[in-house]
Amino acid sequence: MYAMDNAMLYIRQAELLRERVPSFQAYPFDLPVIRSFNRLAFQKRVTFLVGENGTGKSTLLEGIAAAWGFNPEGGTLNFSFNTRSSHSSLHEYLRISKGVRRPKDGFFLRAESYYNVASYIEQLDEIPGEPGVQSNMIKNSYGGKSLHEQSHGESFFAAFVHRFGGQGLYILDEPEAALSPLRQMSLLVRMHELVKQHSQFIIATHSPILMSCPGSEIFLLEGEAIRPVSLEETEHYTVTKAFMNDRGGMLRELLGDD
């Protein structure tokens, strides 16, 4: 469903400039998956990076986002704040191959630093505008309500619904972190709408609901390897299915109760 000419994607490929890396013994290059990384080619409009905690999927995603030009803490290309420099230097050693088209919109969403993005939006809206210019213009693009006056999940979803405008590049790091299963399904619907509006998504996730996106590609980061897999091959799917199909048996095994 989401296959297309590689050249028509906004990001076609991310390549590690290995000859420039100062040392593969220091973070983030000592991560097994980064140490062996050469390039990752994108073929679909929706790509998922999945794997166990600590495999490097968020580090790789952040590197791709920063190499494109996004603020490492998240937001649009125009966001330039710096709350705490926790990002790696990976982006300095990545070459991004771009398609022939340029996106008209874009957003990098990191679950762990979205609070900082919301705070920056509040600060921008407090800056006095020109006479006659409507205040809270930035907030309006997120639904008109302060992101800090909503639950974490509501503020996430406000960005998906109101800020994401189509013809965009959207890089999302664990967007399911604040979303209920129902909201994750709603995000799937929103993603489908935006893809039909010529958008591209690259997403790091643990959610088998999001991974169910039809026509997407899934890359599993495991040890030193990055390989394409089906949804049914992911541990996220198999463990969730096994637990729900035999909840009592799994609980007895986990908790050691008779």
Side-chain angles (χ1 to χ4, degrees):
M1 181 183 297
Y2 295 153
M4 65 183 304
D5 184 347
N6 176 269
M8 297 301 290
L9 295 171
Y10 302 124
I11 294 183
R12 300 168 53 196
Q13 179 176 274
E15 178 184 6
L16 180 63
L17 303 175
R18 300 184 61 85
E19 70 281 1
R20 298 185 186 178
V21 174
S23 172
F24 282 95
Q25 306 303 315
Y27 180 81
F29 307 103
D30 60 341
L31 292 171
V33 75
I34 303 298
R35 191 167 58 233
S36 62
F37 182 75
N38 285 294
R39 64 181 60 86
L40 183 63
F42 301 96
Q43 302 294 333
K44 307 281 183 73
R45 295 185 187 179
V46 179
T47 302
F48 293 104
L49 304 181
V50 306
E52 190 50 78
N53 293 331
T55 54
K57 60 184 182 299
S58 291
T59 301
L60 180 57
L61 190 81
E62 173 196 274
I64 293 172
W68 179 268
F70 286 112
N71 186 319
E73 289 192 55
T76 71
L77 288 171
N78 297 323
F79 282 24
S80 59
F81 69 96
N82 182 5
T83 304
R84 178 173 176 268
S85 297
S86 60
H87 60 283
S88 74
S89 61
L90 178 60
H91 65 284
E92 299 175 18
Y93 303 92
L94 288 178
R95 176 188 290 136
I96 301 298
S97 297
K98 300 179 180 180
V100 296
R101 296 164 54 225
R102 293 291 180 266
K104 294 184 178 180
D105 190 29
F107 202 93
F108 176 35
L109 185 143
R110 295 183 64 187
E112 67 178 36
S113 58
Y114 189 68
Y115 179 91
N116 301 337
V117 172
S119 297
Y120 184 65
I121 292 169
E122 298 276 295
Q123 293 171 16
L124 291 177
D125 274 337
E126 291 173 359
I127 299 174
E130 296 294 329
V133 176
Q134 183 181 2
S135 62
N136 296 330
M137 290 297 292
I138 299 176
K139 187 190 301 180
N140 286 344
S141 66
Y142 292 81
K145 183 178 180 181
S146 168
L147 296 176
H148 282 318
E149 294 176 4
Q150 305 176 59
S151 72
H152 203 35
E154 287 175 327
S155 64
F156 266 43
F157 206 70
F160 303 144
V161 173
H162 300 290
R163 176 56 188 80
F164 292 14
Q167 299 186 56
L169 172 65
Y170 304 111
I171 301 179
L172 314 179
D173 186 16
E174 300 186 5
E176 76 278 5
L179 301 180
S180 69
L182 185 60
R183 281 298 198 191
Q184 291 179 44
M185 294 179 194
S186 297
L187 175 55
L188 268 181
V189 174
R190 182 60 178 149
M191 287 169 53
H192 182 63
E193 294 171 349
L194 291 166
V195 166
K196 288 194 294 184
Q197 297 171 21
H198 307 291
S199 297
Q200 180 181 1
F201 285 86
I202 305 174
I203 305 172
T205 186
H206 292 288
S207 169
I209 293 177
L210 295 184
M211 283 183 250
S212 299
C213 182
S216 60
E217 61 183 344
I218 303 174
F219 287 106
L220 174 64
L221 281 66
E222 189 174 42
E224 296 185 352
I226 300 179
R227 59 186 178 90
V229 296
S230 67
L231 171 64
E232 291 76 14
E233 292 178 273
T234 66
E235 187 177 77
H236 311 74
Y237 175 86
T238 58
V239 170
T240 301
K241 182 179 180 180
F243 186 89
M244 299 311 297
N245 285 346
D246 185 17
R247 184 181 59 188
M250 289 286 283
L251 287 173
R252 285 191 297 271
E253 182 174 341
L254 289 170
L255 305 179
D257 294 338
D258 295 332

Coordinates of all heavy atoms in Angstrom, one line a residue, residues 65 69-81 105-110 113-114 116-118 120-121 142 163-164 169-171:
A65 N 17.2 12.2 12.5 CA 16.5 13.5 12.7 C 17.4 14.7 12.7 O 17.2 15.7 12.1 CB 15.6 13.4 13.9
G69 N 18.2 18.0 10.2 CA 18.2 19.4 10.6 C 17.2 19.7 11.7 O 17.1 20.8 12.2
F70 N 16.6 18.6 12.3 CA 15.7 18.8 13.4 C 16.5 19.1 14.7 O 17.6 18.6 14.8 CB 14.8 17.6 13.6 CG 13.7 17.4 12.6 CD1 13.7 16.4 11.7 CD2 12.6 18.3 12.6 CE1 12.7 16.2 10.8 CE2 11.6 18.2 11.6 CZ 11.6 17.1 10.7
N71 N 15.8 19.8 15.6 CA 16.4 20.0 16.9 C 16.5 18.6 17.6 O 15.5 17.9 17.6 CB 15.5 20.9 17.8 CG 16.0 21.3 19.1 OD1 16.6 20.4 19.8 ND2 15.9 22.5 19.5
P72 N 17.6 18.2 18.2 CA 17.7 16.9 18.8 C 16.7 16.6 19.9 O 16.3 15.5 20.2 CB 19.1 16.9 19.3 CG 19.9 17.8 18.5 CD 18.9 18.9 18.2
E73 N 16.1 17.7 20.5 CA 15.1 17.5 21.6 C 13.7 17.4 21.0 O 12.8 17.1 21.7 CB 15.2 18.7 22.6 CG 16.4 18.6 23.5 CD 16.3 19.6 24.6 OE1 15.3 19.5 25.4 OE2 17.2 20.4 24.8
G74 N 13.6 17.7 19.7 CA 12.3 17.6 19.1 C 11.7 18.9 18.6 O 12.3 19.9 18.8
G75 N 10.6 18.8 17.9 CA 9.9 19.9 17.3 C 10.1 20.1 15.9 O 10.4 19.1 15.2
T76 N 9.8 21.3 15.4 CA 10.0 21.5 13.9 C 11.4 21.9 13.6 O 12.2 22.1 14.5 CB 9.0 22.7 13.5 OG1 9.5 23.9 14.0 CG2 7.6 22.4 14.0
L77 N 11.6 22.2 12.3 CA 13.0 22.6 11.9 C 13.3 24.0 12.4 O 14.5 24.4 12.5 CB 13.1 22.6 10.4 CG 13.1 21.3 9.7 CD1 12.9 21.4 8.2 CD2 14.4 20.5 10.0
N78 N 12.3 24.7 12.8 CA 12.5 26.1 13.4 C 12.8 26.1 14.9 O 13.1 27.2 15.4 CB 11.3 27.0 13.1 CG 11.0 27.1 11.6 OD1 12.0 27.3 10.8 ND2 9.8 27.2 11.2
F79 N 12.7 25.0 15.5 CA 12.9 25.0 17.0 C 14.4 24.9 17.3 O 15.0 23.9 16.8 CB 12.1 23.8 17.6 CG 10.7 24.0 17.8 CD1 10.0 24.9 17.0 CD2 9.9 23.3 18.7 CE1 8.6 25.1 17.1 CE2 8.6 23.5 18.9 CZ 7.9 24.4 18.1
S80 N 14.9 25.8 18.0 CA 16.3 25.9 18.3 C 16.7 25.9 19.7 O 17.8 26.2 20.1 CB 16.9 27.1 17.6 OG 16.3 28.3 18.1
F81 N 15.8 25.5 20.6 CA 16.1 25.5 22.0 C 17.0 24.4 22.4 O 17.1 23.4 21.7 CB 14.8 25.5 22.9 CG 14.1 24.1 22.8 CD1 14.3 23.2 23.8 CD2 13.2 23.9 21.7 CE1 13.6 22.0 23.7 CE2 12.6 22.6 21.6 CZ 12.8 21.7 22.6
D105 N 6.3 20.2 5.4 CA 6.1 20.2 6.8 C 7.1 19.2 7.4 O 7.6 18.3 6.7 CB 4.6 19.8 7.1 CG 4.2 19.9 8.5 OD1 4.8 20.8 9.2 OD2 3.4 19.2 9.0
G106 N 7.2 19.2 8.7 CA 8.1 18.2 9.4 C 8.0 18.4 10.9 O 7.8 19.5 11.4
F107 N 8.3 17.3 11.5 CA 8.3 17.3 13.0 C 9.1 16.1 13.5 O 8.9 15.0 13.0 CB 6.8 17.2 13.5 CG 6.7 17.8 14.9 CD1 6.3 19.1 15.1 CD2 6.9 16.9 16.1 CE1 6.1 19.6 16.4 CE2 6.7 17.4 17.3 CZ 6.3 18.8 17.5
F108 N 9.8 16.3 14.5 CA 10.6 15.3 15.3 C 10.0 15.2 16.6 O 10.1 16.1 17.4 CB 12.1 15.6 15.3 CG 12.9 14.6 16.1 CD1 12.5 13.2 16.1 CD2 14.0 15.0 16.8 CE1 13.3 12.3 16.9 CE2 14.7 14.1 17.6 CZ 14.4 12.7 17.6
L109 N 9.3 14.1 17.0 CA 8.7 13.9 18.3 C 9.5 12.8 19.1 O 9.6 11.7 18.6 CB 7.2 13.5 18.1 CG 6.4 13.4 19.4 CD1 5.0 13.8 19.2 CD2 6.4 11.9 20.0
R110 N 10.0 13.3 20.2 CA 10.6 12.4 21.2 C 9.8 12.3 22.4 O 9.5 13.4 23.1 CB 12.0 12.9 21.5 CG 13.0 12.9 20.4 CD 14.4 13.3 20.9 NE 14.9 12.4 21.9 CZ 16.0 12.6 22.5 NH1 16.7 13.7 22.4 NH2 16.5 11.7 23.4
S113 N 11.4 13.9 25.7 CA 11.6 15.4 25.8 C 10.5 16.2 25.2 O 10.6 17.4 25.0 CB 12.9 15.7 25.0 OG 12.8 15.3 23.6
Y114 N 9.3 15.6 25.1 CA 8.2 16.4 24.5 C 7.7 17.5 25.5 O 7.2 18.5 25.1 CB 7.0 15.4 24.3 CG 5.9 16.1 23.5 CD1 6.0 16.5 22.2 CD2 4.6 16.3 24.1 CE1 5.0 17.1 21.5 CE2 3.6 17.0 23.4 CZ 3.8 17.3 22.1 OH 2.8 18.0 21.4
N116 N 9.7 19.4 27.1 CA 10.5 20.6 26.8 C 10.0 21.3 25.5 O 10.1 22.5 25.4 CB 12.0 20.1 26.6 CG 12.6 19.4 27.8 OD1 12.1 19.6 28.9 ND2 13.6 18.6 27.6
V117 N 9.5 20.5 24.5 CA 8.9 21.1 23.3 C 7.7 21.9 23.7 O 7.6 23.1 23.2 CB 8.6 20.0 22.3 CG1 7.8 20.6 21.1 CG2 9.8 19.3 21.8
A118 N 6.9 21.4 24.6 CA 5.7 22.1 25.0 C 6.0 23.4 25.7 O 5.4 24.4 25.5 CB 4.8 21.2 25.9
Y120 N 8.7 25.2 25.3 CA 9.3 26.1 24.3 C 8.1 26.8 23.6 O 8.2 28.0 23.3 CB 10.2 25.4 23.4 CG 10.9 26.2 22.3 CD1 11.8 27.2 22.7 CD2 10.6 26.1 21.0 CE1 12.5 28.0 21.8 CE2 11.3 26.9 20.0 CZ 12.2 27.8 20.5 OH 12.8 28.6 19.5
I121 N 7.1 26.0 23.2 CA 5.9 26.6 22.6 C 5.3 27.7 23.4 O 4.9 28.8 23.0 CB 4.9 25.5 22.2 CG1 5.5 24.6 21.1 CG2 3.6 26.1 21.7 CD1 4.7 23.3 20.9
Y142 N -1.5 23.9 17.5 CA -1.6 22.6 18.2 C -2.9 22.4 18.8 O -3.1 21.7 19.8 CB -0.5 22.6 19.3 CG 0.9 22.5 18.8 CD1 1.6 23.7 18.3 CD2 1.6 21.3 18.7 CE1 2.8 23.6 17.8 CE2 2.9 21.2 18.2 CZ 3.5 22.4 17.8 OH 4.8 22.3 17.3
R163 N -1.1 19.8 14.4 CA 0.2 20.3 13.9 C 0.7 19.6 12.6 O 1.3 20.3 11.8 CB 1.3 20.2 15.0 CG 2.7 20.7 14.6 CD 2.6 22.1 14.1 NE 3.9 22.5 13.5 CZ 4.3 22.2 12.2 NH1 3.5 21.5 11.5 NH2 5.4 22.6 11.8
F164 N 0.5 18.3 12.5 CA 1.0 17.6 11.4 C 0.0 17.9 10.2 O -1.2 17.6 10.2 CB 1.0 16.1 11.6 CG 2.0 15.6 12.6 CD1 2.6 16.5 13.4 CD2 2.3 14.3 12.7 CE1 3.6 16.1 14.4 CE2 3.2 13.8 13.7 CZ 3.9 14.7 14.5
L169 N 7.6 15.3 6.6 CA 8.5 14.2 7.1 C 8.3 14.2 8.6 O 8.6 15.2 9.3 CB 10.0 14.5 6.8 CG 11.0 13.6 7.4 CD1 10.9 12.2 6.9 CD2 12.4 14.2 7.1
Y170 N 7.9 13.1 9.1 CA 7.6 13.0 10.6 C 8.4 11.8 11.1 O 8.2 10.7 10.7 CB 6.1 12.7 10.8 CG 5.2 13.8 10.1 CD1 4.4 13.5 9.0 CD2 5.3 15.1 10.6 CE1 3.7 14.5 8.4 CE2 4.5 16.1 10.0 CZ 3.7 15.8 8.9 OH 3.0 16.8 8.3
I171 N 9.3 12.2 12.1 CA 10.1 11.2 12.7 C 9.7 11.1 14.2 O 9.8 12.1 14.9 CB 11.6 11.6 12.6 CG1 12.0 11.8 11.1 CG2 12.5 10.7 13.3 CD1 13.4 12.2 10.9

